[in-house]
Amino acid sequence: MSLTSESLTSEQTHATALETACFHCGLPVPSDVHCAVVIEGQRQAMCCQGCEAVAEAIVAAGLTDFYRHRTAPSRRLEDLIPEPLRGLELYDRPDLQRGFVRADGEHVREAELILEGIVCAACVWLNERHVNALPGVLEFRVNYSTHRAWLRWDQRQVKLSQVLEAITAIGYVAHPFDPNRQEALQKRERAVALRRLAVAGLGMMQVMMLAVGLYVGEYQDMEIWVRDFLRWICLILTIPVVIYSAQPFFSAAWRGLRRRQLGMDVPISLAILAAFLASIWHTWQGNGEVYYDSVTMFIFFLLTGRFLEMTARHRAGRISEALVRMLPATATRLDAAGVEQVVPVAELVPGDRVLVRPGETIPADGQVEEGASSVDESLLTGESLPLSRQRGDALIGGALNMESPLLMQVEKVGAETVLSAIIRLLDRAQSEKPQLALLADHIAARFVTALLLVATIVWLIWWSLSDFDTAFRITLSVLVVTCPCALSLATPTAIVAATGALTRLGVLTTRGHALETLAQTTVMIFDKTGTLTYGRPQVVTVEPKSGLDAQYCLALAAALERGSEHPVGRALAEAVEMAIPTAIDQRNSPGDGVEGWIEGQRYRVGRPSFVAALSGVEIAEYSDDRDIASVTVQSPPLAKGGEGGFESRRSYEIPPGPPFSKGGGERLPASSWVALGDETGLLAWFQLTDTLRPGAQTAVAELKARGLRILLLSGDQPETVAYIAREVGITEAAGGLLPQDKLERLRALQAEGAVVAMVGDGINDTPVLAAAQVSLAMGNGTQLAHATADMILLSERLEHLARSVDTARRTLIIMRENFAWAIGYNLIALPLAAGGWLTPWMSALGMSFSSLLVVVNALRLRQS
């Protein structure tokens, strides 16, 4: 049988999504998904690439009877793949893995998965513990906020299909991550939760009304047959609440018991079943106390708390979801003949030429080949203003093209893009746990065992002192009131809310401990180049000759340097604020400059002697009796040098005082001068220097105001470092340092008990970034610096450092508040319940309020 897999048009897809669900799994087909497979002559819509690949494999294997004989689509992983096809280890196929698996070396692989069936923090703990115990699994983390899992494994020891089978074995469903599928799962999760909550709420209200009659009847001599009738009605109303609404608690408890692990759902399930079964027995016998009101109230309050927690979790994870959904579904690819073709973004490969129209999202990382426009990178970097992009400039996938069409060449796709890296780092930060969270998990893991032991002791004591009914009621209250839900929620919700708030600010948290450590920081060390300064030359002075316009001279120089990757050429192009003319017959003279023709006139830009040779007019040398300034010229003038690497060669006639300045920062002592001329002589001088980042002085002042000790350590010349330190207000600075020297100074501070944060950029900062307790890299830093850093300043705005410290300190305070409340609540509630002062319904109310309080408290961080 022939197999055809093709993309639907957007109109067909939209209509299909409204009329039908995914033919394979039954989930809704999102309107922007273009997947379809021809099955037995009919084109069937699929909700994601994963279902499409499975359906293709089913058709290719001649197993289409699977679709004919099934009664309805199933969501269970084992039901979605026919029995004969499961042996093929579908998810181990390289062609299927290409879309969601990333290679890290020859044998190590990384993948993102979605986990279905996660209902609480205990589910995360169970999955992480179970999967990490598998041979060959190097790391497995679950983001509780998004239910996304990050898996890293050695394919020589374990296959992906074996990991998925291991997850299925403990009652959960795992499949490759797809943003559209995740959105459908979240909608379904919310709908199911609402249905369970509605059944529990209706049942609770009806039972509570009947319970009022039973309570009043005890004091007004209600007839026995009336009492028994009301009890039987309460039983009938409670059955759907226990069987349907409480089903998630029973399932989670059973999964844990099968693995010989006691989760928080075990005491919950035990309390529900014990109270319900005891009530059934007393109803049947016609005596004793019934707890139908407590059972329904307990389930309703638990479901209410978890529904609110789920809503808060979805909200806290929206920044991550927004990043995931930034890439468009399709792109306009141009073939060799320039013919446009709309293709899925997943089909793009490096080297493709893509047309991005105004209002469209850039589909992958690449470089502008033709055109000039502005792009919005606000969600990626936190930069609120559109950024100018022209030929040769880099484009980031996920940014929005604002003004004009751009023709780009794709350089990176899929997991290699900047956006994918940001998402991976954010997920890692949200799934990794700080020390306080690890302490909470450590306590919670043992708390359930201790709780069951205490409940047993309470039951034995009260049974010896009173009757069975009293002992049972008090033990039930103990089980209900001390459920450790609040303890498990104390830190994860706070971490997710805080990292989301910082990401919106343009500060990406990549490690779970970063916030906790940054909050405790006492010393912050800055590097100079690329951190306090831009780390690249910028035009700060234009001195035109013969009355020429400064911008016109810049445009001429930029035209000659167009296409050059040299820092000086890029600096000249960035300084232009008008249209750049076209230069032809450009010739580069290494060490001297560039020559070219513009509108029939020959020009040169570069070293003064090289420019002067074009006209034969000698540039006057410096004379002490003339009102001119002596400057140094870079040697060679167009060769990339190190920090402060300038050689004083000769003095040229440079008028003092800049009539035109560009760059927005203070001029540094070390600078270079570039000349522009034509066949008539010198036209203009350009002074280029590294400049301070805007907000550097403000950032240092705000950090000092928060009690931090600020140091500047740099490998640049000491006089330049001292100048920068004075400009930004740093009193402790040292220059001329090697990376080892910086490392020794950092370790000396740590030996004195300081908690050190390092802010740096570039390869030479990597050892110091790794040694600091918490490290921050600038967003334009090297990949090695990003890999080492605990946080990345994507916005490159230094003033965001102070806000990051404030958010970190608030996060630590809120985590401690939640932790203290969870422990304090149990310490107070347990004696009250064990003493018989709390009824089961009071215990249910108190437990739910405790869990809700920690979630609401953590969500305050979203306003940071």
Side-chain angles (χ1 to χ4, degrees):
M1 176 175 290
S2 63
L3 166 67
T4 304
S5 175
E6 54 190 80
S7 297
L8 298 173
T9 63
S10 59
E11 292 81 11
Q12 289 172 317
T13 304
H14 183 65
T16 303
L18 291 177
E19 295 169 5
T20 187
C22 175
F23 185 77
H24 182 69
C25 71
L27 287 173
V29 178
S31 59
D32 58 348
V33 171
H34 300 193
C35 301
V37 175
V38 172
I39 301 174
E40 296 186 332
Q42 294 186 356
R43 187 165 51 193
Q44 305 291 355
M46 302 288 160
C47 68
C48 65
Q49 294 178 358
C51 286
E52 183 183 42
V54 177
E56 288 175 353
I58 291 173
V59 175
L63 300 172
T64 52
D65 286 346
F66 166 77
Y67 292 115
R68 283 202 302 268
H69 297 313
R70 66 178 182 177
T71 56
S74 171
R75 291 189 302 101
R76 298 176 59 206
L77 183 62
E78 58 270 27
D79 294 338
L80 290 176
I81 304 176
E83 183 66 36
L85 196 59
R86 293 179 211 162
L88 299 178
E89 299 177 328
L90 180 68
Y91 286 110
D92 296 329
R93 287 171 45 183
D95 57 332
L96 181 58
Q97 289 189 0
R98 192 177 300 116
F100 67 96
V101 174
R102 190 172 74 96
D104 183 11
E106 184 177 356
H107 303 292
V108 177
R109 297 292 183 267
E110 298 176 355
E112 269 194 295
L113 307 173
I114 294 181
L115 288 187
E116 295 187 49
I118 300 290
V119 295
C120 64
C123 298
V124 173
W125 175 82
L126 176 61
N127 275 277
E128 289 180 342
R129 181 168 179 175
H130 178 62
V131 175
N132 279 313
L134 297 175
V137 173
L138 305 178
E139 191 172 3
F140 181 75
R141 297 191 307 269
V142 180
N143 186 335
Y144 178 54
S145 173
T146 61
H147 292 181
R148 290 209 305 268
W150 185 73
L151 173 66
R152 192 166 182 264
W153 75 99
D154 188 335
Q155 62 176 0
R156 295 172 298 180
Q157 302 181 50
V158 66
K159 297 181 179 179
L160 178 59
S161 59
Q162 294 173 324
V163 177
L164 299 180
E165 290 170 4
I167 295 173
T168 304
I170 58 174
Y172 298 88
V173 177
H175 48 77
F177 169 71
D178 180 87
N180 295 312
R181 187 181 181 94
Q182 184 179 32
E183 182 182 20
L185 289 173
Q186 286 188 347
K187 289 181 179 178
R188 184 177 55 78
E189 179 187 19
R190 181 180 178 85
V192 172
L194 279 172
R195 286 198 297 269
R196 295 190 192 279
L197 185 61
V199 171
L202 290 172
M204 181 197 68
M205 288 188 290
Q206 300 301 318
V207 170
M208 288 299 294
M209 286 190 294
L210 296 175
V212 171
L214 289 172
Y215 289 144
V216 173
E218 290 182 3
Y219 299 98
Q220 296 184 359
D221 298 327
M222 176 184 290
E223 295 186 29
I224 299 299
W225 74 269
V226 176
R227 185 200 66 182
D228 291 345
F229 175 76
L230 292 179
R231 286 186 171 187
W232 280 105
I233 297 299
C234 288
L235 170 60
I236 294 172
L237 292 171
T238 304
I239 287 175
V241 178
V242 173
I243 293 179
Y244 177 69
S245 296
Q247 187 269 333
F249 308 121
F250 300 144
S251 299
W254 177 241
R255 284 194 293 260
L257 291 174
R258 284 174 57 194
R259 304 299 305 173
R260 298 182 180 180
Q261 295 168 345
L262 295 175
M264 67 178 67
D265 288 303
V266 172
I268 291 175
S269 301
L270 184 61
I272 292 173
L273 288 176
F276 184 57
L277 293 176
S279 299
I280 293 175
W281 174 256
H282 290 157
T283 300
W284 179 263
Q285 293 294 319
N287 55 32
E289 188 173 353
V290 295
Y291 304 99
Y292 297 119
D293 56 339
S294 297
V295 170
T296 55
M297 183 182 296
F298 185 38
I299 295 173
F300 175 75
F301 285 150
L302 276 172
L303 291 175
T304 300
R306 289 197 175 180
F307 179 79
L308 294 174
E309 183 270 330
M310 177 194 69
T311 302
R313 172 167 48 82
H314 288 175
R315 287 179 179 175
R318 279 178 184 171
I319 182 64
S320 179
E321 301 308 313
L323 289 172
V324 170
R325 300 187 63 82
M326 283 182 69
L327 289 181
T330 61
T332 304
R333 184 170 62 190
L334 274 62
D335 59 17
V339 178
E340 297 181 8
Q341 181 185 14
V342 178
V343 298
V345 169
E347 294 184 7
L348 294 178
V349 295
D352 282 348
R353 298 167 70 239
V354 174
L355 177 63
V356 185
R357 295 182 174 88
E360 292 183 347
T361 302
I362 297 169
D365 289 0
Q367 191 177 78
V368 178
E369 194 171 280
E370 292 182 16
S373 184
S374 297
V375 298
D376 181 2
E377 299 179 356
S378 57
L379 192 56
L380 288 165
T381 65
E383 175 57 58
S384 58
L385 297 177
L387 304 174
S388 176
R389 291 291 182 264
Q390 55 189 346
R391 182 179 178 183
D393 289 341
L395 294 173
I396 301 177
L400 181 66
N401 184 20
M402 302 288 290
E403 297 168 350
S404 305
L406 291 174
L407 181 61
M408 66 173 292
Q409 184 177 41
V410 175
E411 295 179 343
K412 294 180 180 179
V413 296
E416 303 301 322
T417 61
V418 171
L419 179 61
S420 296
I422 291 174
I423 293 169
R424 284 197 302 272
L425 292 172
L426 182 59
D427 279 342
R428 183 177 70 179
Q430 293 181 342
S431 57
E432 287 184 346
K433 297 178 175 66
Q435 291 298 319
L436 201 58
L438 293 174
L439 177 61
D441 289 348
H442 182 76
I443 294 175
R446 289 161 176 75
F447 187 84
V448 173
T449 303
L451 169 60
L452 296 176
L453 180 61
V454 169
T456 303
I457 294 174
V458 168
W459 183 77
L460 292 173
I461 292 175
W462 277 100
W463 195 19
S464 64
L465 297 177
S466 184
D467 57 13
F468 177 85
D469 288 345
T470 301
F472 182 82
R473 174 178 57 80
I474 293 175
T475 304
L476 184 62
S477 298
V478 170
L479 284 173
V480 171
V481 80
T482 54
C483 174
C485 294
L487 190 61
S488 296
L489 293 172
T491 54
T493 312
I495 293 171
V496 171
T499 53
L502 286 176
T503 303
R504 286 191 295 272
L505 189 65
V507 182
L508 180 65
T509 306
T510 69
R511 291 291 183 182
H513 74 87
L515 289 172
E516 185 177 14
T517 310
L518 183 61
Q520 300 168 342
T521 296
T522 57
V523 176
M524 185 169 289
I525 298 176
F526 285 91
D527 182 45
K528 182 188 77 70
T529 306
T531 305
L532 290 176
T533 68
Y534 283 103
R536 61 182 185 272
Q538 289 187 316
V539 178
V540 294
T541 302
V542 177
E543 176 63 30
K545 298 292 184 178
S546 306
L548 295 176
D549 179 70
Q551 278 293 330
Y552 176 70
C553 293
L554 271 173
L556 293 175
L560 295 172
E561 294 280 5
R562 173 172 283 175
S564 171
E565 292 297 322
H566 193 278
V568 171
R570 297 186 68 87
L572 291 169
E574 290 174 358
V576 180
E577 297 177 355
M578 62 181 292
I580 300 177
T582 301
I584 60 175
D585 295 336
Q586 294 148 288
R587 290 182 297 182
N588 180 37
S589 299
D592 286 326
V594 179
E595 176 183 314
W597 292 77
I598 302 175
E599 298 178 351
Q601 180 70 36
R602 187 162 58 154
Y603 294 89
R604 284 185 179 182
V605 62
R607 187 174 177 177
S609 58
F610 170 70
V611 173
L614 178 62
S615 63
V617 178
E618 182 178 357
I619 299 178
E621 294 191 5
Y622 172 75
S623 173
D624 289 335
D625 59 358
R626 300 184 55 191
D627 186 20
I628 55 178
S630 176
V631 301
T632 58
V633 178
Q634 188 175 0
S635 178
L638 291 182
K640 185 174 181 180
E643 285 184 311
F646 299 94
E647 178 185 350
S648 179
R649 300 183 68 258
R650 59 184 300 184
S651 296
Y652 296 100
E653 184 176 349
I654 312 278
F660 169 79
S661 294
K662 179 76 178 175
E666 295 295 333
R667 191 182 307 180
L668 305 188
S671 60
S672 60
W673 289 81
V674 175
L676 171 70
D678 61 9
E679 294 176 328
T680 65
L682 181 68
L683 298 180
W685 287 102
F686 307 108
Q687 184 186 25
L688 291 89
T689 185
D690 195 2
T691 55
L692 283 175
R693 292 183 183 272
Q697 298 94 330
T698 303
V700 171
E702 290 180 347
L703 290 170
K704 283 185 174 181
R706 284 155 177 79
L708 296 180
R709 178 183 171 190
I710 308 299
L711 282 76
L712 172 58
L713 303 180
S714 174
D716 203 352
Q717 297 177 2
E719 58 270 20
T720 302
V721 174
Y723 173 82
I724 290 293
R726 288 195 303 271
E727 289 296 312
V728 300
I730 297 177
T731 57
E732 298 180 75
L737 301 178
L738 298 173
Q740 183 61 34
D741 299 329
K742 297 180 184 179
L743 192 59
E744 290 176 359
R745 290 182 179 242
L746 181 142
R747 287 173 174 167
L749 291 168
Q750 292 173 332
E752 297 172 0
V755 178
V756 182
M758 175 69 192
V759 186
D761 173 63
I763 294 177
N764 63 335
D765 293 327
T766 303
V768 192
L769 289 170
Q773 281 101 329
V774 61
S775 53
L776 300 95
M778 302 302 291
N780 65 344
T782 64
Q783 292 298 318
L784 187 57
H786 286 182
T788 305
D790 303 312
M791 304 177 78
I792 301 174
L793 200 61
L794 294 174
S795 66
E796 299 185 27
R797 296 177 60 180
L798 293 173
E799 59 267 32
H800 287 166
L801 288 174
R803 294 182 61 180
S804 300
V805 171
D806 291 341
T807 299
R809 289 177 176 178
R810 288 188 61 203
T811 302
L812 186 59
I813 291 173
I814 285 178
M815 286 196 299
R816 287 173 174 171
E817 288 175 350
N818 286 349
F819 193 70
W821 167 258
I823 295 295
Y825 161 78
N826 281 288
L827 290 177
I828 295 173
L830 179 59
L832 292 176
W837 288 294
L838 294 180
T839 62
W841 71 266
M842 292 179 182
S843 301
L845 188 61
M847 185 279 304
S848 301
F849 175 75
S850 175
S851 300
L852 183 60
L853 183 64
V854 298
V855 172
V856 172
N857 190 38
L859 288 181
R860 293 191 295 130
L861 289 167
R862 295 179 66 243
Q863 308 302 321
S864 297

